[in-house]
Amino acid sequence: MPNIAVLTSGGDSPGMNAAVMSVARAANLMGMNLIGIKRGFNGLIGKSKSLEEDIVHLSLDQVLDIADLPGTYLRTARCLEFKEAAYQQKGAKLLRDLDVQGLVVIGGDGSFQGAQALARNGIPTIGIPGTIDNDLGYTELSLGFDTAVNVCVDAVRAIRATSRSHDRAAVIEVMGRNCGDIALNTALSTGSEILIVPEMKDWSVDDIANRLNALVDRGNKRASIIVAEGAYKTMTPFDVYGFMKDYPSSSHPVFPGSPMDAYFLSRVVEHKVQKTEVRSTVIGYTQRGSQPSARDAAFAFEAGVVAVNLLKHGESNRVIGVHNGKVFHMDIESALQIKPSFNRRMFNMVNAL
Ligand code: ADP
Ligand code: F6P
């Protein structure tokens, strides 16, 4: 029976296990053995004491148990060495030695570059997008994004409930690296009033304070300020020491020299606005470690089958995605050239009402 392999790489994302399960079932149906590579590209470059630590034969029975679990059963890693040609050749050699005739890589754009490198070295590869950030321009959806948004929506609804009870505002930080999609979709789904994303260049803390001030004047003291984690990088520099000069000692201290974060932002905005209290929450890794939503799990299922089918038909260097709600595939190189497009119209709408 021919062998194919699968690995997960980069930050884990809900739906990775569902995709592995689907790859296993499709491989089984098509008469192929499935090998799991552990810890992303680390599992290909001989870093472990023995090969047994790097590869696992995935039986159908084994993977049926993991389909709806969060995290990734195969483990994941960021393997910096794999950017070097020598390690890519080493990885391809190991796959050849294992008689692997095709590899499914589940990860984001970095992982897809690793997949491309293996394809250059003669290993047929297919990519399945797995990242909560949704920062791959060629696809409307990557595994984990829908789950991450749902986690944030649940959290923001709960925060808005307590904000309502106390009539005070909230800063809520979500993930997404340099992409504001989780933040935008969370804000839209919760009716949040202020949204800050990395796609906004040169925003300032005063913009946020002015906006909150205007909302308070219109009778809303309990606005939610959704901040995408990457947005601090695109903020105009904030004069921390100037701010500290007239910041009163209070039960909510600020620490001079600390970089801007959700807590600090809440302190600054509260102090500038004066008319409402502002608390802060960082939603954090619950966005990555949650059970996949129905949408992510369904995409994972279809993507796994498509990936194995492509390998069976001798295809390589292709990635799977969603366009107009339908699963499709295209070549990796063209896919990686498409920049993510942020929905500015919806962004403006959130901040305008
Ligand atoms: P993601 O896949 O979510 O974008 P990373 O950017 O961290 O996550 O990339 C995951 C892994 O992919 C890296 O740790 C590395 O092993 C591999 N990788 C990233 N960039 C390249 C590259 N240019 N060439 C080969 N492999 C790469
Ligand atoms: O890429 C997924 C992601 O969760 C980003 O949203 C976040 O910035 C990053 O990974 C965190 O990575 P780490 O697991 O290294 O803390």
Side-chain angles (χ1 to χ4, degrees):
M1 290 217 285
N3 292 329
I4 62 168
V6 59
L7 63 80
T8 55
S9 164
D12 63 348
S13 64
M16 282 181 161
N17 282 335
V20 171
M21 181 273 293
S22 170
V23 167
R25 283 174 64 184
N28 181 271
L29 181 72
M30 294 178 210
M32 302 169 180
N33 284 318
L34 181 62
I35 295 172
I37 310 291
K38 305 286 289 282
R39 298 176 302 282
F41 297 109
N42 270 333
L44 289 179
I45 62 171
K47 273 175 136 179
S48 311
K49 284 191 216 93
S50 68
L51 191 59
E52 284 66 50
E53 288 180 33
D54 288 337
I55 68 161
V56 52
H57 287 274
L58 291 171
S59 72
L60 197 56
D61 188 45
Q62 243 172 330
V63 293
L64 283 171
D65 285 345
I66 62 162
D68 46 12
L69 294 180
T72 166
Y73 172 76
L74 288 175
R75 308 293 189 265
T76 188
R78 297 196 167 96
C79 167
L80 297 182
E81 295 95 325
F82 211 70
K83 294 184 181 177
E84 295 168 32
Y87 285 99
Q88 296 163 1
Q89 284 155 16
K90 194 169 180 182
K93 180 175 180 314
L94 177 74
L95 289 169
R96 263 192 301 277
D97 290 348
L98 293 169
D99 202 19
V100 165
Q101 284 150 38
L103 172 72
V104 179
V105 171
I106 309 173
D109 58 341
S111 305
F112 286 173
Q113 290 178 63
Q116 256 185 322
L118 287 168
R120 275 197 301 276
N121 283 283
I123 305 294
T125 56
I126 304 294
I128 295 179
T131 164
I132 63 164
D133 301 337
N134 214 36
D135 57 353
L136 292 158
Y138 79 93
T139 178
E140 286 157 20
L141 191 63
S142 59
L143 293 182
F145 169 67
D146 184 64
T147 309
V149 171
N150 278 299
V151 167
C152 292
V153 168
D154 284 349
V156 172
R157 283 182 177 151
I159 293 164
R160 283 174 75 80
T162 169
S163 294
R164 180 170 64 234
S165 306
H166 290 262
D167 232 352
R168 66 185 175 204
V171 169
I172 304 154
E173 182 188 300
V174 305
M175 280 184 166
R177 211 181 283 252
N178 299 317
C179 182
D181 278 10
I182 295 178
L184 171 65
N185 284 273
T186 301
L188 286 169
S189 309
T190 54
S192 293
E193 293 86 348
I194 303 180
L195 173 59
I196 311 171
V197 293
E199 288 82 354
M200 244 168 114
K201 303 295 170 218
D202 304 325
W203 62 276
S204 75
V205 174
D206 284 318
D207 298 337
I208 309 306
N210 292 341
R211 166 91 178 126
L212 183 60
N213 216 353
L215 286 163
V216 173
D217 287 347
R218 280 161 53 203
N220 182 356
K221 290 176 77 176
R222 46 171 150 120
S224 306
I225 305 168
I226 308 293
V227 187
E229 61 178 2
Y232 302 120
K233 284 193 222 151
T234 61
M235 187 182 95
T236 49
F238 176 70
D239 176 12
V240 179
Y241 291 98
F243 172 74
M244 291 298 297
K245 268 194 242 134
D246 58 278
Y247 187 80
S249 57
S250 77
S251 55
H252 298 293
V254 296
F255 306 101
S258 64
M260 186 56 77
D261 61 10
Y263 174 76
F264 195 11
L265 186 61
S266 73
R267 297 299 84 230
V268 177
V269 170
E270 180 180 287
H271 184 67
K272 282 181 181 280
V273 173
Q274 296 281 320
K275 302 171 196 158
T276 185
E277 285 183 315
V278 187
R279 294 288 198 264
S280 66
T281 306
V282 176
I283 298 180
Y285 290 96
T286 55
Q287 293 160 89
R288 283 218 321 234
S290 292
Q291 206 178 17
S293 67
R295 195 167 177 221
D296 278 331
F299 175 40
F301 190 83
E302 195 170 348
V305 175
V306 173
V308 177
N309 238 316
L310 285 169
L311 287 176
K312 189 182 173 209
H313 288 97
E315 298 275 1
S316 175
N317 238 340
R318 297 191 77 73
V319 282
I320 296 166
V322 177
H323 181 60
N324 289 338
K326 290 211 165 66
V327 172
F328 78 113
H329 50 89
M330 67 185 293
D331 74 280
I332 295 191
E333 196 167 334
S334 316
L336 289 179
Q337 277 163 16
I338 303 174
K339 297 272 164 283
S341 66
F342 184 68
N343 192 334
R344 278 189 184 273
R345 196 174 64 84
M346 299 311 278
F347 166 79
N348 289 335
M349 198 181 287
V350 170
N351 283 316
L353 288 187

